[in-house]
Amino acid sequence: HVMIRCEEAAPWNLPQRVMSVCARMGTYKIECGLLPEKNGDETVKTWLPKEQSVNKEEGSLDSAEVRIFMRTEGGVTRRKVHGRGWAANDQELMGEIAGAVEEMKKQGKADALILIDSLDDVSYSQVFKLVKAVQEKKLGPIGFASPVEDR
């Protein structure tokens, strides 16, 4: 598998490029962590989705996905689930994600992909923190999407 470690403030597009190359080369098992490496620091082990592109086609929104938008404005990272308002905090965001996943299950889409749609200027640490939280709550498989405008 591949280990990706970046500085907390590194822009998201850098590790995203590595993930894209990994998927194109057939390497789907990745582990993510932050730099500098410290004793006991945490990493996130995940599989890049094989059935869907790591970077879904730009401009596409799929009905079997829970898309999470991440945007940085004025140095502050804002996050929201597609079709909902910007979350005020981590707890609210996780509640929105869990609610959207539950709605998918009720529609018979239990295997809905949770897609992180992050612009390049969002820090790696913000994306890492979200992936870790989604995995800890066991909300579903995670993918990464090329940014689209929320409608």
Side-chain angles (χ1 to χ4, degrees):
H1 75 273
V2 172
M3 166 65 84
I4 299 171
R5 284 192 181 269
C6 289
E7 297 284 342
E8 288 188 39
W12 167 241
N13 68 329
L14 298 177
Q16 191 174 33
R17 286 184 205 157
V18 174
M19 289 179 197
S20 293
V21 170
C22 288
R24 282 196 303 275
M25 300 302 294
T27 301
Y28 296 98
K29 186 176 181 182
I30 63 167
E31 189 171 354
C32 301
L34 298 173
L35 283 175
E37 192 172 346
K38 299 174 187 157
N39 274 341
D41 70 345
E42 296 184 53
T43 60
V44 174
K45 294 179 183 179
T46 189
W47 290 88
L48 297 176
K50 292 181 185 180
E51 57 281 341
Q52 301 201 26
S53 170
V54 174
N55 292 308
K56 286 191 66 165
E57 186 176 313
E58 191 165 342
S60 78
L61 285 172
D62 187 329
S63 64
E65 70 186 33
V66 174
R67 188 173 288 242
I68 305 165
F69 292 94
M70 298 184 76
R71 305 292 185 259
T72 299
E73 296 174 9
V76 176
T77 300
R78 298 175 54 186
R79 299 139 329 146
K80 72 175 183 173
V81 173
H82 172 65
R84 301 175 190 216
W86 294 105
N89 54 46
D90 293 345
Q91 184 177 358
E92 183 178 323
L93 178 66
M94 294 311 295
E96 292 285 344
I97 296 168
V101 167
E102 192 59 36
E103 287 173 23
M104 287 289 177
K105 288 179 181 176
K106 288 178 183 175
Q107 296 171 16
K109 300 173 185 172
D111 59 347
L113 184 64
I114 297 171
L115 280 178
I116 298 175
D117 179 328
S118 176
L119 292 183
D120 293 349
D121 61 350
V122 171
S123 72
Y124 173 71
S125 64
Q126 290 291 323
V127 177
F128 176 79
K129 181 179 173 182
L130 179 57
V131 170
K132 185 177 167 192
V134 168
Q135 281 192 337
E136 285 175 353
K137 299 275 186 191
K138 297 180 171 65
L139 294 174
I142 302 168
F144 303 95
S146 294
V148 299
E149 188 174 325
D150 188 24
R151 302 181 186 97

PDB file of all heavy atoms in Angstrom, residues 32-68:
ATOM      1  N   CYS A  32      -3.086   7.501   5.221  1.00  0.00           N
ATOM      2  CA  CYS A  32      -2.841   8.940   5.278  1.00  0.00           C
ATOM      3  C   CYS A  32      -2.457   9.350   6.690  1.00  0.00           C
ATOM      4  O   CYS A  32      -2.982   8.819   7.658  1.00  0.00           O
ATOM      5  CB  CYS A  32      -4.096   9.713   4.872  1.00  0.00           C
ATOM      6  SG  CYS A  32      -4.688   9.335   3.222  1.00  0.00           S
ATOM      7  N   GLY A  33      -1.571  10.314   6.766  1.00  0.00           N
ATOM      8  CA  GLY A  33      -1.158  10.839   8.054  1.00  0.00           C
ATOM      9  C   GLY A  33      -0.613  12.245   7.900  1.00  0.00           C
ATOM     10  O   GLY A  33      -0.471  12.749   6.788  1.00  0.00           O
ATOM     11  N   LEU A  34      -0.316  12.860   9.018  1.00  0.00           N
ATOM     12  CA  LEU A  34       0.201  14.225   9.021  1.00  0.00           C
ATOM     13  C   LEU A  34       1.702  14.224   9.304  1.00  0.00           C
ATOM     14  O   LEU A  34       2.222  13.309   9.928  1.00  0.00           O
ATOM     15  CB  LEU A  34      -0.516  15.062  10.088  1.00  0.00           C
ATOM     16  CG  LEU A  34      -2.019  15.230   9.909  1.00  0.00           C
ATOM     17  CD1 LEU A  34      -2.613  15.927  11.127  1.00  0.00           C
ATOM     18  CD2 LEU A  34      -2.326  16.010   8.643  1.00  0.00           C
ATOM     19  N   LEU A  35       2.380  15.265   8.844  1.00  0.00           N
ATOM     20  CA  LEU A  35       3.785  15.504   9.160  1.00  0.00           C
ATOM     21  C   LEU A  35       3.857  16.636  10.168  1.00  0.00           C
ATOM     22  O   LEU A  35       3.003  17.508  10.153  1.00  0.00           O
ATOM     23  CB  LEU A  35       4.560  15.898   7.897  1.00  0.00           C
ATOM     24  CG  LEU A  35       4.919  14.766   6.958  1.00  0.00           C
ATOM     25  CD1 LEU A  35       5.571  15.337   5.703  1.00  0.00           C
ATOM     26  CD2 LEU A  35       5.853  13.773   7.615  1.00  0.00           C
ATOM     27  N   PRO A  36       4.845  16.724  11.005  1.00  0.00           N
ATOM     28  CA  PRO A  36       5.893  15.728  11.153  1.00  0.00           C
ATOM     29  C   PRO A  36       5.361  14.490  11.870  1.00  0.00           C
ATOM     30  O   PRO A  36       4.438  14.576  12.674  1.00  0.00           O
ATOM     31  CB  PRO A  36       6.943  16.438  12.005  1.00  0.00           C
ATOM     32  CG  PRO A  36       6.170  17.449  12.790  1.00  0.00           C
ATOM     33  CD  PRO A  36       5.000  17.850  11.908  1.00  0.00           C
ATOM     34  N   GLU A  37       5.950  13.373  11.542  1.00  0.00           N
ATOM     35  CA  GLU A  37       5.562  12.110  12.157  1.00  0.00           C
ATOM     36  C   GLU A  37       5.956  12.141  13.631  1.00  0.00           C
ATOM     37  O   GLU A  37       7.062  12.519  13.973  1.00  0.00           O
ATOM     38  CB  GLU A  37       6.270  10.967  11.429  1.00  0.00           C
ATOM     39  CG  GLU A  37       5.755   9.616  11.759  1.00  0.00           C
ATOM     40  CD  GLU A  37       6.370   8.552  10.867  1.00  0.00           C
ATOM     41  OE1 GLU A  37       6.970   8.882   9.844  1.00  0.00           O
ATOM     42  OE2 GLU A  37       6.243   7.391  11.241  1.00  0.00           O
ATOM     43  N   LYS A  38       5.015  11.783  14.480  1.00  0.00           N
ATOM     44  CA  LYS A  38       5.272  11.785  15.932  1.00  0.00           C
ATOM     45  C   LYS A  38       4.966  10.401  16.486  1.00  0.00           C
ATOM     46  O   LYS A  38       4.198   9.652  15.896  1.00  0.00           O
ATOM     47  CB  LYS A  38       4.374  12.809  16.625  1.00  0.00           C
ATOM     48  CG  LYS A  38       4.606  14.220  16.161  1.00  0.00           C
ATOM     49  CD  LYS A  38       3.589  15.158  16.775  1.00  0.00           C
ATOM     50  CE  LYS A  38       3.730  16.530  16.159  1.00  0.00           C
ATOM     51  NZ  LYS A  38       2.527  17.312  16.269  1.00  0.00           N
ATOM     52  N   ASN A  39       5.555  10.084  17.627  1.00  0.00           N
ATOM     53  CA  ASN A  39       5.250   8.805  18.270  1.00  0.00           C
ATOM     54  C   ASN A  39       3.770   8.739  18.584  1.00  0.00           C
ATOM     55  O   ASN A  39       3.213   9.672  19.161  1.00  0.00           O
ATOM     56  CB  ASN A  39       6.036   8.651  19.572  1.00  0.00           C
ATOM     57  CG  ASN A  39       7.410   8.080  19.333  1.00  0.00           C
ATOM     58  OD1 ASN A  39       7.656   7.481  18.294  1.00  0.00           O
ATOM     59  ND2 ASN A  39       8.299   8.257  20.303  1.00  0.00           N
ATOM     60  N   GLY A  40       3.133   7.681  18.176  1.00  0.00           N
ATOM     61  CA  GLY A  40       1.728   7.483  18.489  1.00  0.00           C
ATOM     62  C   GLY A  40       0.778   8.306  17.637  1.00  0.00           C
ATOM     63  O   GLY A  40      -0.407   8.361  17.921  1.00  0.00           O
ATOM     64  N   ASP A  41       1.293   8.975  16.586  1.00  0.00           N
ATOM     65  CA  ASP A  41       0.361   9.751  15.769  1.00  0.00           C
ATOM     66  C   ASP A  41      -0.579   8.816  15.020  1.00  0.00           C
ATOM     67  O   ASP A  41      -0.294   7.644  14.836  1.00  0.00           O
ATOM     68  CB  ASP A  41       1.084  10.715  14.823  1.00  0.00           C
ATOM     69  CG  ASP A  41       1.819  10.023  13.690  1.00  0.00           C
ATOM     70  OD1 ASP A  41       2.018   8.802  13.759  1.00  0.00           O
ATOM     71  OD2 ASP A  41       2.190  10.719  12.740  1.00  0.00           O
ATOM     72  N   GLU A  42      -1.691   9.350  14.644  1.00  0.00           N
ATOM     73  CA  GLU A  42      -2.712   8.537  14.010  1.00  0.00           C
ATOM     74  C   GLU A  42      -2.649   8.642  12.503  1.00  0.00           C
ATOM     75  O   GLU A  42      -2.312   9.675  11.950  1.00  0.00           O
ATOM     76  CB  GLU A  42      -4.085   8.984  14.495  1.00  0.00           C
ATOM     77  CG  GLU A  42      -4.262   8.754  15.978  1.00  0.00           C
ATOM     78  CD  GLU A  42      -5.652   9.099  16.429  1.00  0.00           C
ATOM     79  OE1 GLU A  42      -6.615   8.600  15.837  1.00  0.00           O
ATOM     80  OE2 GLU A  42      -5.756   9.875  17.378  1.00  0.00           O
ATOM     81  N   THR A  43      -2.964   7.526  11.875  1.00  0.00           N
ATOM     82  CA  THR A  43      -3.106   7.506  10.429  1.00  0.00           C
ATOM     83  C   THR A  43      -4.476   6.932  10.117  1.00  0.00           C
ATOM     84  O   THR A  43      -5.124   6.319  10.958  1.00  0.00           O
ATOM     85  CB  THR A  43      -2.023   6.640   9.755  1.00  0.00           C
ATOM     86  OG1 THR A  43      -2.121   5.308  10.236  1.00  0.00           O
ATOM     87  CG2 THR A  43      -0.627   7.188  10.019  1.00  0.00           C
ATOM     88  N   VAL A  44      -4.907   7.150   8.905  1.00  0.00           N
ATOM     89  CA  VAL A  44      -6.173   6.611   8.434  1.00  0.00           C
ATOM     90  C   VAL A  44      -5.862   5.650   7.305  1.00  0.00           C
ATOM     91  O   VAL A  44      -5.217   6.031   6.319  1.00  0.00           O
ATOM     92  CB  VAL A  44      -7.103   7.740   7.929  1.00  0.00           C
ATOM     93  CG1 VAL A  44      -8.350   7.164   7.300  1.00  0.00           C
ATOM     94  CG2 VAL A  44      -7.461   8.680   9.064  1.00  0.00           C
ATOM     95  N   LYS A  45      -6.294   4.409   7.447  1.00  0.00           N
ATOM     96  CA  LYS A  45      -6.126   3.418   6.386  1.00  0.00           C
ATOM     97  C   LYS A  45      -7.430   3.348   5.615  1.00  0.00           C
ATOM     98  O   LYS A  45      -8.497   3.265   6.212  1.00  0.00           O
ATOM     99  CB  LYS A  45      -5.783   2.051   6.970  1.00  0.00           C
ATOM    100  CG  LYS A  45      -4.440   2.033   7.656  1.00  0.00           C
ATOM    101  CD  LYS A  45      -4.139   0.685   8.255  1.00  0.00           C
ATOM    102  CE  LYS A  45      -2.814   0.752   8.999  1.00  0.00           C
ATOM    103  NZ  LYS A  45      -2.461  -0.506   9.622  1.00  0.00           N
ATOM    104  N   THR A  46      -7.328   3.401   4.309  1.00  0.00           N
ATOM    105  CA  THR A  46      -8.534   3.357   3.495  1.00  0.00           C
ATOM    106  C   THR A  46      -8.225   2.745   2.136  1.00  0.00           C
ATOM    107  O   THR A  46      -7.066   2.602   1.754  1.00  0.00           O
ATOM    108  CB  THR A  46      -9.148   4.769   3.338  1.00  0.00           C
ATOM    109  OG1 THR A  46     -10.419   4.656   2.719  1.00  0.00           O
ATOM    110  CG2 THR A  46      -8.256   5.678   2.513  1.00  0.00           C
ATOM    111  N   TRP A  47      -9.268   2.372   1.454  1.00  0.00           N
ATOM    112  CA  TRP A  47      -9.162   1.876   0.091  1.00  0.00           C
ATOM    113  C   TRP A  47      -9.732   2.942  -0.821  1.00  0.00           C
ATOM    114  O   TRP A  47     -10.793   3.495  -0.556  1.00  0.00           O
ATOM    115  CB  TRP A  47      -9.982   0.592  -0.077  1.00  0.00           C
ATOM    116  CG  TRP A  47      -9.403  -0.576   0.638  1.00  0.00           C
ATOM    117  CD1 TRP A  47      -9.634  -0.942   1.938  1.00  0.00           C
ATOM    118  CD2 TRP A  47      -8.486  -1.524   0.122  1.00  0.00           C
ATOM    119  NE1 TRP A  47      -8.915  -2.055   2.242  1.00  0.00           N
ATOM    120  CE2 TRP A  47      -8.197  -2.449   1.142  1.00  0.00           C
ATOM    121  CE3 TRP A  47      -7.874  -1.693  -1.129  1.00  0.00           C
ATOM    122  CZ2 TRP A  47      -7.337  -3.512   0.969  1.00  0.00           C
ATOM    123  CZ3 TRP A  47      -7.014  -2.764  -1.295  1.00  0.00           C
ATOM    124  CH2 TRP A  47      -6.748  -3.664  -0.260  1.00  0.00           C
ATOM    125  N   LEU A  48      -9.022   3.219  -1.885  1.00  0.00           N
ATOM    126  CA  LEU A  48      -9.592   4.096  -2.902  1.00  0.00           C
ATOM    127  C   LEU A  48     -10.643   3.276  -3.638  1.00  0.00           C
ATOM    128  O   LEU A  48     -10.427   2.111  -3.930  1.00  0.00           O
ATOM    129  CB  LEU A  48      -8.506   4.573  -3.875  1.00  0.00           C
ATOM    130  CG  LEU A  48      -7.399   5.409  -3.246  1.00  0.00           C
ATOM    131  CD1 LEU A  48      -6.333   5.728  -4.286  1.00  0.00           C
ATOM    132  CD2 LEU A  48      -7.949   6.677  -2.648  1.00  0.00           C
ATOM    133  N   PRO A  49     -11.802   3.856  -3.933  1.00  0.00           N
ATOM    134  CA  PRO A  49     -12.852   3.093  -4.601  1.00  0.00           C
ATOM    135  C   PRO A  49     -12.427   2.645  -6.002  1.00  0.00           C
ATOM    136  O   PRO A  49     -11.941   3.448  -6.778  1.00  0.00           O
ATOM    137  CB  PRO A  49     -14.033   4.055  -4.674  1.00  0.00           C
ATOM    138  CG  PRO A  49     -13.563   5.344  -4.150  1.00  0.00           C
ATOM    139  CD  PRO A  49     -12.180   5.213  -3.630  1.00  0.00           C
ATOM    140  N   LYS A  50     -12.593   1.357  -6.297  1.00  0.00           N
ATOM    141  CA  LYS A  50     -12.229   0.824  -7.612  1.00  0.00           C
ATOM    142  C   LYS A  50     -13.341   1.046  -8.620  1.00  0.00           C
ATOM    143  O   LYS A  50     -13.100   1.275  -9.788  1.00  0.00           O
ATOM    144  CB  LYS A  50     -11.939  -0.672  -7.523  1.00  0.00           C
ATOM    145  CG  LYS A  50     -10.710  -0.991  -6.738  1.00  0.00           C
ATOM    146  CD  LYS A  50     -10.468  -2.477  -6.702  1.00  0.00           C
ATOM    147  CE  LYS A  50      -9.288  -2.796  -5.800  1.00  0.00           C
ATOM    148  NZ  LYS A  50      -9.014  -4.218  -5.723  1.00  0.00           N
ATOM    149  N   GLU A  51     -14.584   0.944  -8.155  1.00  0.00           N
ATOM    150  CA  GLU A  51     -15.711   1.018  -9.075  1.00  0.00           C
ATOM    151  C   GLU A  51     -16.029   2.445  -9.508  1.00  0.00           C
ATOM    152  O   GLU A  51     -16.751   2.660 -10.443  1.00  0.00           O
ATOM    153  CB  GLU A  51     -16.961   0.361  -8.503  1.00  0.00           C
ATOM    154  CG  GLU A  51     -17.439   0.911  -7.179  1.00  0.00           C
ATOM    155  CD  GLU A  51     -16.659   0.407  -5.981  1.00  0.00           C
ATOM    156  OE1 GLU A  51     -15.971  -0.617  -6.057  1.00  0.00           O
ATOM    157  OE2 GLU A  51     -16.722   1.071  -4.936  1.00  0.00           O
ATOM    158  N   GLN A  52     -15.485   3.422  -8.824  1.00  0.00           N
ATOM    159  CA  GLN A  52     -15.700   4.813  -9.186  1.00  0.00           C
ATOM    160  C   GLN A  52     -14.355   5.499  -9.209  1.00  0.00           C
ATOM    161  O   GLN A  52     -13.457   5.147  -8.477  1.00  0.00           O
ATOM    162  CB  GLN A  52     -16.622   5.499  -8.176  1.00  0.00           C
ATOM    163  CG  GLN A  52     -17.959   4.813  -8.093  1.00  0.00           C
ATOM    164  CD  GLN A  52     -18.987   5.757  -7.526  1.00  0.00           C
ATOM    165  OE1 GLN A  52     -18.859   6.957  -7.643  1.00  0.00           O
ATOM    166  NE2 GLN A  52     -20.011   5.208  -6.941  1.00  0.00           N
ATOM    167  N   SER A  53     -14.236   6.489 -10.043  1.00  0.00           N
ATOM    168  CA  SER A  53     -12.989   7.230 -10.155  1.00  0.00           C
ATOM    169  C   SER A  53     -12.676   7.928  -8.836  1.00  0.00           C
ATOM    170  O   SER A  53     -13.564   8.378  -8.134  1.00  0.00           O
ATOM    171  CB  SER A  53     -13.121   8.273 -11.264  1.00  0.00           C
ATOM    172  OG  SER A  53     -12.029   9.154 -11.248  1.00  0.00           O
ATOM    173  N   VAL A  54     -11.383   8.011  -8.519  1.00  0.00           N
ATOM    174  CA  VAL A  54     -10.964   8.746  -7.331  1.00  0.00           C
ATOM    175  C   VAL A  54     -11.378  10.196  -7.480  1.00  0.00           C
ATOM    176  O   VAL A  54     -11.840  10.826  -6.558  1.00  0.00           O
ATOM    177  CB  VAL A  54      -9.438   8.640  -7.146  1.00  0.00           C
ATOM    178  CG1 VAL A  54      -8.989   9.531  -6.006  1.00  0.00           C
ATOM    179  CG2 VAL A  54      -9.048   7.218  -6.886  1.00  0.00           C
ATOM    180  N   ASN A  55     -11.240  10.711  -8.659  1.00  0.00           N
ATOM    181  CA  ASN A  55     -11.660  12.074  -8.951  1.00  0.00           C
ATOM    182  C   ASN A  55     -12.809  11.973  -9.940  1.00  0.00           C
ATOM    183  O   ASN A  55     -12.582  11.930 -11.139  1.00  0.00           O
ATOM    184  CB  ASN A  55     -10.519  12.897  -9.557  1.00  0.00           C
ATOM    185  CG  ASN A  55      -9.436  13.140  -8.550  1.00  0.00           C
ATOM    186  OD1 ASN A  55      -9.709  13.601  -7.467  1.00  0.00           O
ATOM    187  ND2 ASN A  55      -8.214  12.814  -8.899  1.00  0.00           N
ATOM    188  N   LYS A  56     -14.016  11.890  -9.429  1.00  0.00           N
ATOM    189  CA  LYS A  56     -15.174  11.771 -10.304  1.00  0.00           C
ATOM    190  C   LYS A  56     -15.197  12.914 -11.294  1.00  0.00           C
ATOM    191  O   LYS A  56     -14.687  13.982 -11.034  1.00  0.00           O
ATOM    192  CB  LYS A  56     -16.468  11.757  -9.487  1.00  0.00           C
ATOM    193  CG  LYS A  56     -16.668  10.439  -8.774  1.00  0.00           C
ATOM    194  CD  LYS A  56     -18.027  10.339  -8.209  1.00  0.00           C
ATOM    195  CE  LYS A  56     -19.023  10.297  -9.335  1.00  0.00           C
ATOM    196  NZ  LYS A  56     -20.333   9.868  -8.961  1.00  0.00           N
ATOM    197  N   GLU A  57     -15.784  12.669 -12.420  1.00  0.00           N
ATOM    198  CA  GLU A  57     -15.825  13.649 -13.499  1.00  0.00           C
ATOM    199  C   GLU A  57     -16.335  14.995 -13.014  1.00  0.00           C
ATOM    200  O   GLU A  57     -17.334  15.086 -12.310  1.00  0.00           O
ATOM    201  CB  GLU A  57     -16.753  13.111 -14.595  1.00  0.00           C
ATOM    202  CG  GLU A  57     -16.785  13.959 -15.836  1.00  0.00           C
ATOM    203  CD  GLU A  57     -17.639  13.319 -16.897  1.00  0.00           C
ATOM    204  OE1 GLU A  57     -17.493  12.116 -17.135  1.00  0.00           O
ATOM    205  OE2 GLU A  57     -18.469  14.036 -17.469  1.00  0.00           O
ATOM    206  N   GLU A  58     -15.634  16.039 -13.406  1.00  0.00           N
ATOM    207  CA  GLU A  58     -16.003  17.381 -12.976  1.00  0.00           C
ATOM    208  C   GLU A  58     -17.407  17.710 -13.463  1.00  0.00           C
ATOM    209  O   GLU A  58     -17.767  17.415 -14.593  1.00  0.00           O
ATOM    210  CB  GLU A  58     -15.005  18.410 -13.515  1.00  0.00           C
ATOM    211  CG  GLU A  58     -15.190  19.752 -12.882  1.00  0.00           C
ATOM    212  CD  GLU A  58     -14.000  20.658 -13.118  1.00  0.00           C
ATOM    213  OE1 GLU A  58     -12.918  20.163 -13.464  1.00  0.00           O
ATOM    214  OE2 GLU A  58     -14.179  21.866 -12.941  1.00  0.00           O
ATOM    215  N   GLY A  59     -18.183  18.304 -12.597  1.00  0.00           N
ATOM    216  CA  GLY A  59     -19.528  18.712 -12.962  1.00  0.00           C
ATOM    217  C   GLY A  59     -20.580  17.648 -12.710  1.00  0.00           C
ATOM    218  O   GLY A  59     -21.750  17.882 -12.915  1.00  0.00           O
ATOM    219  N   SER A  60     -20.175  16.463 -12.259  1.00  0.00           N
ATOM    220  CA  SER A  60     -21.169  15.410 -12.079  1.00  0.00           C
ATOM    221  C   SER A  60     -21.598  15.297 -10.620  1.00  0.00           C
ATOM    222  O   SER A  60     -20.785  15.369  -9.716  1.00  0.00           O
ATOM    223  CB  SER A  60     -20.614  14.056 -12.554  1.00  0.00           C
ATOM    224  OG  SER A  60     -19.750  13.500 -11.604  1.00  0.00           O
ATOM    225  N   LEU A  61     -22.885  15.155 -10.436  1.00  0.00           N
ATOM    226  CA  LEU A  61     -23.439  14.836  -9.120  1.00  0.00           C
ATOM    227  C   LEU A  61     -24.265  13.577  -9.310  1.00  0.00           C
ATOM    228  O   LEU A  61     -25.089  13.490 -10.208  1.00  0.00           O
ATOM    229  CB  LEU A  61     -24.331  15.973  -8.597  1.00  0.00           C
ATOM    230  CG  LEU A  61     -23.594  17.210  -8.087  1.00  0.00           C
ATOM    231  CD1 LEU A  61     -24.575  18.334  -7.795  1.00  0.00           C
ATOM    232  CD2 LEU A  61     -22.790  16.892  -6.852  1.00  0.00           C
ATOM    233  N   ASP A  62     -24.024  12.591  -8.494  1.00  0.00           N
ATOM    234  CA  ASP A  62     -24.657  11.291  -8.616  1.00  0.00           C
ATOM    235  C   ASP A  62     -25.725  11.171  -7.530  1.00  0.00           C
ATOM    236  O   ASP A  62     -25.512  11.592  -6.404  1.00  0.00           O
ATOM    237  CB  ASP A  62     -23.576  10.226  -8.429  1.00  0.00           C
ATOM    238  CG  ASP A  62     -24.036   8.822  -8.696  1.00  0.00           C
ATOM    239  OD1 ASP A  62     -25.224   8.523  -8.454  1.00  0.00           O
ATOM    240  OD2 ASP A  62     -23.210   8.008  -9.118  1.00  0.00           O
ATOM    241  N   SER A  63     -26.850  10.549  -7.867  1.00  0.00           N
ATOM    242  CA  SER A  63     -27.918  10.413  -6.877  1.00  0.00           C
ATOM    243  C   SER A  63     -27.584   9.390  -5.798  1.00  0.00           C
ATOM    244  O   SER A  63     -28.269   9.309  -4.796  1.00  0.00           O
ATOM    245  CB  SER A  63     -29.228  10.043  -7.577  1.00  0.00           C
ATOM    246  OG  SER A  63     -29.096   8.773  -8.180  1.00  0.00           O
ATOM    247  N   ALA A  64     -26.539   8.582  -5.995  1.00  0.00           N
ATOM    248  CA  ALA A  64     -26.158   7.572  -5.006  1.00  0.00           C
ATOM    249  C   ALA A  64     -24.904   7.996  -4.249  1.00  0.00           C
ATOM    250  O   ALA A  64     -24.057   7.187  -3.927  1.00  0.00           O
ATOM    251  CB  ALA A  64     -25.944   6.231  -5.689  1.00  0.00           C
ATOM    252  N   GLU A  65     -24.798   9.286  -3.985  1.00  0.00           N
ATOM    253  CA  GLU A  65     -23.652   9.778  -3.242  1.00  0.00           C
ATOM    254  C   GLU A  65     -24.092  10.805  -2.216  1.00  0.00           C
ATOM    255  O   GLU A  65     -25.121  11.452  -2.362  1.00  0.00           O
ATOM    256  CB  GLU A  65     -22.617  10.414  -4.186  1.00  0.00           C
ATOM    257  CG  GLU A  65     -23.086  11.726  -4.780  1.00  0.00           C
ATOM    258  CD  GLU A  65     -22.139  12.301  -5.827  1.00  0.00           C
ATOM    259  OE1 GLU A  65     -21.500  11.529  -6.558  1.00  0.00           O
ATOM    260  OE2 GLU A  65     -22.065  13.536  -5.913  1.00  0.00           O
ATOM    261  N   VAL A  66     -23.279  10.917  -1.183  1.00  0.00           N
ATOM    262  CA  VAL A  66     -23.421  11.977  -0.209  1.00  0.00           C
ATOM    263  C   VAL A  66     -22.196  12.851  -0.420  1.00  0.00           C
ATOM    264  O   VAL A  66     -21.081  12.454  -0.094  1.00  0.00           O
ATOM    265  CB  VAL A  66     -23.473  11.420   1.231  1.00  0.00           C
ATOM    266  CG1 VAL A  66     -23.467  12.558   2.243  1.00  0.00           C
ATOM    267  CG2 VAL A  66     -24.696  10.530   1.415  1.00  0.00           C
ATOM    268  N   ARG A  67     -22.383  14.008  -1.030  1.00  0.00           N
ATOM    269  CA  ARG A  67     -21.256  14.876  -1.367  1.00  0.00           C
ATOM    270  C   ARG A  67     -21.072  15.916  -0.275  1.00  0.00           C
ATOM    271  O   ARG A  67     -22.011  16.590   0.120  1.00  0.00           O
ATOM    272  CB  ARG A  67     -21.477  15.562  -2.707  1.00  0.00           C
ATOM    273  CG  ARG A  67     -20.238  16.319  -3.181  1.00  0.00           C
ATOM    274  CD  ARG A  67     -20.413  16.855  -4.578  1.00  0.00           C
ATOM    275  NE  ARG A  67     -20.382  15.802  -5.567  1.00  0.00           N
ATOM    276  CZ  ARG A  67     -19.473  15.706  -6.537  1.00  0.00           C
ATOM    277  NH1 ARG A  67     -18.519  16.606  -6.643  1.00  0.00           N
ATOM    278  NH2 ARG A  67     -19.526  14.724  -7.397  1.00  0.00           N
ATOM    279  N   ILE A  68     -19.835  16.020   0.198  1.00  0.00           N
ATOM    280  CA  ILE A  68     -19.488  16.988   1.226  1.00  0.00           C
ATOM    281  C   ILE A  68     -18.605  18.048   0.590  1.00  0.00           C
ATOM    282  O   ILE A  68     -17.523  17.746   0.076  1.00  0.00           O
ATOM    283  CB  ILE A  68     -18.744  16.316   2.394  1.00  0.00           C
ATOM    284  CG1 ILE A  68     -19.575  15.159   2.951  1.00  0.00           C
ATOM    285  CG2 ILE A  68     -18.421  17.338   3.477  1.00  0.00           C
ATOM    286  CD1 ILE A  68     -18.809  14.228   3.838  1.00  0.00           C
TER     287      ILE A  68
END
